Amino acid sequence: MLDGLPVLDLTDHRGEIGPWILAQLGADVIKVEPPDGTSARRAHPIHEGASLQFTAYNTGKRLVTLDPASAADRTTFRELLAEAEVVIDSGPPGYMAGYGVDRPKLLELNPTVVSVLVTPFGSDGPRAGDPASELTIAALGGPVRLQGTPDRAPVKVSVPQVWRHAGADAAVAALVAKTRGDQLGEAQFVDLSAQSVMTWTMLNAMEAYEVQGFDFERTGATLKLAMSVPLRHRCKDGYVILVPRGPNGATITPWLIEDGIVDRSWADEDWASFDARIIDGEPSDISHAELIDAMDRLCLAYTKRELLERGLELGVTIAPVNDVTDLLAFEQLEARSFWRQLVIDPAADDAVRMPGSFVTVDRERLQTGPLLSSSPQPGPVTFDRSSRRLGDDDGGGDLTTDPAVGAPPSLPFEGLKVADFSWIGVGPITAKNFADHGATVVRVESANRIDGLRMQPPFKQAESGHNRSNFFGAFNTSKQSLAIDLKNEGGLRVARRLVEWADVVIDSWTPGAMERLGLGPEEIRRTNPDVITVTTSLLGGGGPFSPMAGFGYHAAAIAGFFDLVGWSDLPPDGPWLAYTDTIGPRFIGATLMAALDRRRRTGLGCHIEAAQLEIALQLLAPELLHHELDGAVAGRVGNRSPELAPQGVYRCRGEDCWVAISITDDEAWSRFRDALGDPGWARGAVLDSVLGRLANHDAIDTAIEVWTSQRTEDEVEELLLAAGVAAAKVQRSRDLLADPQYAHRGFYHRLEHAEVGPLPYAGHSYRIEGYRHGPRSAAPTLGEHTFEVLTDILGFDVDEVAEIAATGCLE
């Protein structure tokens, strides 16, 4: 869809997935490496000396090796810079500087280039020069604080995630900036912070402290929202996710009675009001503890597979806590032709499976390119711009033209019209990203089928209400709310007008739901032939488990992430809430922008289908390859790393206060010892190497915590950063809201909400120089813009609005 967009990839392990995403979408990506390769070639996991992360995230690219010390190679490098439309670099300071090119020189070579720099904290500000690691970035970003059991240290996801998230967001940022640059005819500089990327994985905890007056805290595998529910249940061969709430109680009661776990009186329970009565403390014949116990006993009697299948039959989601072994055997992925074959050794004619395309477009998977060879391409490597069609060659319209003829729009997606039928996380976040950048996004809601996030904390001043939740609010900034009942013919009349108006239609219902309303992609295209439709669901259509509905914590379990958070001697705790809801929007957003780019050039619309499971697996591609090649099964390891030692989260002075520390190499170990006063326990030749420190990690951790526990987290962080050691306090929401780096970047936006007044909203992970992007306005109250949408946007006159209202659909 990007039709050969020339992209120069200057990333190492910090961000290489970004150019990879663009390559999968059709960009012509040339990766530049120095003669000794980038750090990506040494990133774990390793197979026979080769990085499987490098293997996974460099398919579809072309490679050139250029020596910064060679005058000829520096000339070639500058020629590539001059031809590229997008350059993605990682640092600090970035690889471009090593070839003698700074930003002024880049602009001299290429005055309209989009350059993206991916760094731990951003290119400037009080933290910009601090040493960092995967762990310390996640600690400062906030998600570490929320994960793990309360009786142990907070934990990160046990496999690398920070730079995979950051790279994916770099692809999104590059295409936003490209859209803006094309409109203005000017170069764009994008400054992306990995810390900010990780804050977005906190979901409802990002702004919690200022909104509700207190922080969320880690609770293991217990979900503490409006009511506290344990998600994880042990079964015969592992664990499953089953939520003990009223709706599931109603569905599962016949099974409980059938198995003799409960008596027949359970069938008389008013399950529809069960949750509300539990939350309000009202009396109930069946207690919440009894429901939990019954589900525990049921799960113990069955395997993961048996629970998954019977749950699907009954209509209750019971999600298995999978590992990579389970994933490679999951029929849903096979049925959807998800896996691709990767030839590692052509001489052996041997192929292994790895994740295939992250979406389908018009029911076909994107074509992924071959494995990037370990040696440079023969002959000169240049961009082939012959296929890159610019302008409206085939009659395609510009979706972002300002109404004032000849005047460029003030925002990249001004003029773009989006009908947002989605709910909860993935779809709303995807649509929000366009709304924040100027698109007119109409969010379709109904009081009869309210978005579940409107009923979940954080609530303003901890008082619940449909319009008081910043869980909903964070995902729906800059939108207009249209309240209509789609089960009513009047509501469907409005919906049909809405999809005729829209350039983009997004839904996140289970497969087939929109078709049953007469609003499926084919139906929409009959009256709006160049529309782009986006459907996202838990598992995607066309497979044996496609009807399964669920939330991000179900997807995190099925995708293998739940099993990767916690400790090896304890059950899995899982990531905070709906982890995969933070992955999907990055891949879908980049795909949608690529589709818009093609539509501008060709006038062609398309249908994008995104299975949240398949997108999530892109961030586990190296670990899946590792299992295919070596039988390795990634598991929970707390905060440890196979590459770094010591590394951990250590208790500090104060109540539940912690600091993350990573010793990134032998020199950092020497500096760390000096900062601690060269204690006797840290001396000895055996500890001078990472292998020796890995072998003695337990003893080292004990000694470090004796030292940290006598100091505050701020004191430890300040002392170790001054010594050049990666260290970070494990931040809560209250810390993020006061973080000087975030204040410098203007990360939080405080906007006036129509009902509850000023609220903080997290901004985007990236800044674009000269452009103060959204969120532009607070999230809407339910139905806040219904009349304006009906009249000003959809063109109904007053009499028509009265007819529609008479049907009772406007609620």
Side-chain angles (χ1 to χ4, degrees), residues 237-280:
D237 59 348
Y239 297 91
V240 295
I241 302 302
L242 172 60
V243 184
R245 294 182 58 233
N248 287 343
T251 306
I252 212 167
T253 286
W255 189 3
L256 295 171
I257 295 172
E258 176 188 323
D259 282 16
I261 293 173
V262 302
D263 62 46
R264 295 191 176 277
S265 66
W266 278 49
D268 300 325
E269 173 63 40
D270 179 12
W271 292 109
S273 67
F274 181 82
D275 290 354
R277 285 182 282 120
I278 295 300
I279 292 168
D280 294 340

Side-chain angles (χ1 to χ4, degrees), residues 172-185:
V172 172
L175 292 177
V176 171
K178 183 73 172 64
T179 303
R180 183 171 190 264
D182 286 347
Q183 292 163 353
L184 301 177

Side-chain angles (χ1 to χ4, degrees), residues 42 44 640-647 662-670 673 682 684-698 700-701:
R42 298 177 285 280
H44 282 236
R640 292 195 175 174
S641 163
E643 305 171 74
L644 313 178
Q647 174 170 275
S662 294
I663 305 303
T664 53
D665 53 32
D666 295 343
E667 290 183 5
W669 171 248
S670 177
R673 283 174 45 185
V686 69
L687 300 184
D688 288 343
S689 72
V690 66
L691 292 177
R693 295 192 297 274
L694 284 167
N696 291 276
H697 212 307
D698 289 344
I700 296 172
D701 277 351

